[in-house]
Amino acid sequence: MTCPRLETPRLLLVPMTVELVEAVLDGRRADTEAILGAKMPTAWPGRALVERAFLARLEAVRADPEHRLWGDRVAISREDPPRVIGSVVFHGGPDPKGVVEVAYGIEEESQRQGYGFEAVSVSVSWALTDPRVRAVRASTFTWHTASRRILEKLGFRVVDTDDEMLGEMLVYELSRR
């Protein structure tokens, strides 16, 4: 399934490419901005965030970008001038059981303005149009109220818990209707 650009009233969600991932991981800000046609936030993304978003090694992304970058998009504001406000990633295409895992982040200056809900909503809706996808999962800490609110507002339900070093994680799932 091709990863199309998605649009909302305030956002363009642009598919990630190997070229983009390489530019971000290499710290080539000017190249990243040129590829996206948008200004990167001063403090986003940090290297740690990028490495977490791309759990697979860069070699794995290069070897199978269609699977590894499945559904991954950068969220860009539609204002003038356009700016990167965050991303939505799926940690790869559907697994053998038809499950994908979504993760997302919104840069600090753009938080608490509904961008997270807007970006995740359209991305999850797109994912569920893929006939191979039975369900979308997401994990967040119990203390991460904003993330929990987004998932619950979208109809995700808690299906499991997991203990991490930083606290208890809730595993949410939204099944195809």
Side-chain angles (χ1 to χ4, degrees):
M1 185 165 155
T2 305
C3 185
R5 183 170 106 163
L6 301 175
E7 297 185 18
T8 71
R10 299 184 302 160
L11 299 173
L12 300 175
L13 287 106
V14 178
M16 292 186 191
T17 63
V18 174
E19 177 187 28
L20 174 63
V21 173
E22 290 171 341
V24 171
L25 287 174
D26 290 345
R28 293 183 280 124
R29 182 182 197 86
D31 290 347
T32 301
E33 290 177 339
I35 291 166
L36 292 171
K39 185 84 173 146
M40 292 291 288
T42 303
W44 192 93
R47 179 135 181 115
L49 177 62
V50 171
E51 288 175 349
R52 277 199 314 267
F54 295 99
L55 298 174
R57 294 187 326 261
L58 182 55
E59 295 80 30
V61 171
R62 286 179 180 140
D64 191 3
E66 187 174 326
H67 177 75
R68 181 57 196 97
L69 297 177
W70 184 92
D72 294 358
R73 294 181 179 87
V74 176
I76 300 173
S77 71
R78 295 181 85 153
E79 62 195 24
D80 191 26
R83 63 188 176 86
V84 173
I85 61 99
S87 63
V88 179
V89 297
F90 280 93
H91 301 305
D95 69 14
K97 294 181 180 180
V99 177
V100 293
E101 183 174 352
V102 68
Y104 44 91
I106 302 298
E107 61 92 16
E108 190 172 344
E109 290 179 16
S110 298
Q111 292 177 0
R112 292 172 293 286
Q113 297 175 46
Y115 288 121
F117 176 80
E118 199 170 321
V120 175
S121 177
V122 71
S123 297
V124 167
S125 292
W126 170 83
L128 290 170
T129 67
D130 186 324
R132 300 172 298 162
V133 175
R134 177 191 61 75
V136 178
R137 284 201 181 133
S139 298
T140 192
F141 290 105
T142 55
W143 49 261
H144 202 308
T145 308
S147 183
R148 291 176 57 197
R149 213 173 311 134
I150 288 170
L151 296 171
E152 290 165 3
K153 191 173 175 182
L154 289 171
F156 280 76
R157 300 287 178 242
V158 175
V159 294
D160 202 0
T161 58
D162 194 11
D163 287 321
E164 295 288 328
M165 286 178 37
L166 297 175
E168 184 180 33
M169 297 279 291
L170 298 173
V171 179
Y172 284 83
E173 186 172 287
L174 179 65
S175 297
R176 180 189 309 274
R177 300 205 193 295

